[in-house]
Amino acid sequence: MSLTADQIVDRRSLRRKLSVWRVVAFLALALLVVGGAAVVAGVNGFAGVTPPQIARVTISGFISEDRDQLEMLDKITEARGVKGVIVSIDSTGGSTAGGEALYEALRRMAKEKPVVASMETVGASAAYMTAIAADHVIARRTTITGSIGVIFQIPQVGGLLDKLGVDIEEVKSSPLKAAPSMFEPASPEALAVINSVVRDSYDWFVDIVAERRDLDRADALTLADGRIYTGRQALDARLIDEIGGEETAIDWLVSKGVKRSLPVKDWEPANDDAGFLSADLAVLWIARQLGLGPAVTHGGLVDRIVAERLKLDGLMSVWQGPASGSDGPAEGALR
């Protein structure tokens, strides 16, 4: 059947309208996906419209200075809807700078809203440093905590290289540059420098323990001999405030005026995957719909595969349990 000119014009007009509506529907779906991602992620990026809640922040594994994590903590501090914060800790520690950064971020937060730390299996060294930034510290009876002290370790591989017939030639600007070295025994001068760094870091750790736990410095110094404590021992030593878990933490928040009926919402750093509806995956899905290929960039797949500990260089505050063995720090460490 042949079409008249008017019918051809009408059909073309209809096709154009359908194309417009397809674009509108696609954009609406894209906004829905991104909006769902924001809801799943706890509306982290929209602090001003965060619904009333208690925020739960999890500190686990090896502690390092994580910019995304610190930005998240600042967003929680600014979020008017967050009425109280539970810092859930299960970590043997990590880099000293990482523990210090968390400590300072949580102290800023505690000036704006009540913050309680709840330590689970382990809350030692840099993790304990993090916990005492809270206004109230809770642990289980059997939680391993403490490990307040400093240690610097460096492996010596010179003997192995000698057996392999490998010589190391070194030219440096001064004797203390890059000292001590894993290729030769440390000189007395190098050990003196390391000792001064260790003592300075240790003094700061002891000072904040004394300040935050309301202890005489002499008492804090006695407790800070590197040993670990159970939760019950830590309570007797005044290193924590109470025995319990998250329900105990909520009870404390309620005593500070937080409503018990408020939901507890998990907050995660922006870069973390939050499942299918994460913001990263939403953007990736939209890009694919537009025919754009994803790129592997800094902070992407490669960074997530490489172990965080392999990218560190500096002092660490870590408790090394007997079972950790070779998993311990290879360079300067605090504990």
Side-chain angles (χ1 to χ4, degrees):
M1 181 180 67
S2 60
L3 298 175
T4 66
D6 288 341
Q7 288 175 324
I8 292 174
V9 170
D10 289 342
R11 290 199 174 190
R12 288 178 178 174
S13 175
L14 180 60
R15 280 198 291 268
R16 283 196 295 270
K17 290 179 180 179
L18 287 175
S19 297
V20 170
W21 281 110
R22 287 194 187 101
V23 172
V24 171
F26 171 78
L27 292 176
L29 181 59
L31 289 173
L32 180 62
V33 172
V34 174
V39 172
V40 172
V43 204
N44 291 3
F46 305 96
V49 295
T50 304
Q53 63 182 261
I54 296 170
R56 181 195 292 120
V57 175
T58 299
I59 306 295
S60 62
F62 188 81
I63 292 173
S64 62
E65 191 165 359
D66 185 332
R67 182 179 301 173
D68 293 322
Q69 185 179 54
L70 297 175
E71 289 178 354
M72 177 197 70
L73 293 177
D74 287 341
K75 287 179 180 178
I76 295 174
T77 300
E78 297 167 1
R80 287 174 293 179
V82 174
K83 305 303 181 182
V85 181
I86 298 172
V87 184
S88 178
I89 297 174
D90 191 358
S91 168
T92 59
S95 75
T96 309
E100 179 184 352
L102 283 174
Y103 175 85
E104 292 178 347
L106 291 174
R107 287 309 304 141
R108 290 193 298 271
M109 182 185 294
K111 292 178 181 178
E112 303 296 330
K113 55 197 67 182
V115 179
V116 56
S118 177
M119 298 192 292
E120 299 176 6
T121 304
V122 184
S125 209
Y128 180 69
M129 183 190 299
T130 301
I132 61 176
D135 296 318
H136 197 72
V137 183
I138 296 169
R140 297 287 186 184
R141 291 178 180 84
T142 55
T143 297
I144 294 174
T145 188
S147 188
I148 307 163
V150 180
I151 185 172
F152 185 95
Q153 293 178 326
I154 189 166
Q156 287 294 319
V157 299
L160 175 61
L161 295 180
D162 289 341
K163 292 180 180 179
L164 295 175
V166 178
D167 293 325
I168 301 295
E169 296 292 344
E170 186 175 66
V171 178
K172 54 185 180 179
S173 58
S174 61
L176 292 178
K177 177 63 178 175
S181 167
M182 68 175 63
F183 304 120
E184 60 184 9
S187 67
E189 293 79 10
L191 290 176
V193 170
I194 296 304
N195 183 64
S196 70
V197 171
V198 166
R199 296 305 307 181
D200 185 67
S201 301
Y202 176 65
D203 286 342
W204 175 76
F205 201 165
V206 172
D207 286 343
I208 64 170
V209 170
E211 176 187 349
R212 296 299 305 150
R213 300 309 307 159
D214 195 22
L215 297 167
D216 291 335
R217 195 178 192 282
D219 293 335
L221 200 57
T222 300
L223 295 169
D225 61 357
R227 75 181 65 188
I228 57 173
Y229 303 86
T230 65
R232 291 200 303 175
Q233 291 171 330
L235 181 62
D236 291 339
R238 294 166 55 194
L239 291 174
I240 68 170
D241 297 295
E242 198 172 0
I243 296 293
E246 185 166 294
E247 285 301 318
T248 309
I250 293 174
D251 289 342
W252 182 83
L253 289 174
V254 170
S255 74
K256 296 300 177 181
V258 178
K259 294 181 180 179
R260 189 181 296 276
S261 59
L262 289 179
V264 178
K265 299 290 187 180
D266 284 302
W267 282 65
E268 296 180 356
N271 259 8
D272 282 5
D273 291 338
F276 176 74
L277 287 180
S278 72
D280 285 348
L281 287 181
V283 173
L284 180 60
W285 179 81
I286 293 171
R288 284 176 175 169
Q289 301 309 307
L290 296 175
L292 302 176
V296 178
T297 59
H298 176 71
L301 182 61
V302 173
D303 276 358
R304 289 170 185 166
I305 291 175
V306 178
E308 194 67 31
R309 295 185 65 160
L310 299 181
K311 299 187 287 183
L312 294 173
D313 182 17
L315 292 172
M316 289 183 282
S317 186
V318 182
W319 172 65
Q320 294 174 261
S324 62
S326 61
D327 192 40
E331 295 196 25
L334 302 186
R335 66 177 175 184

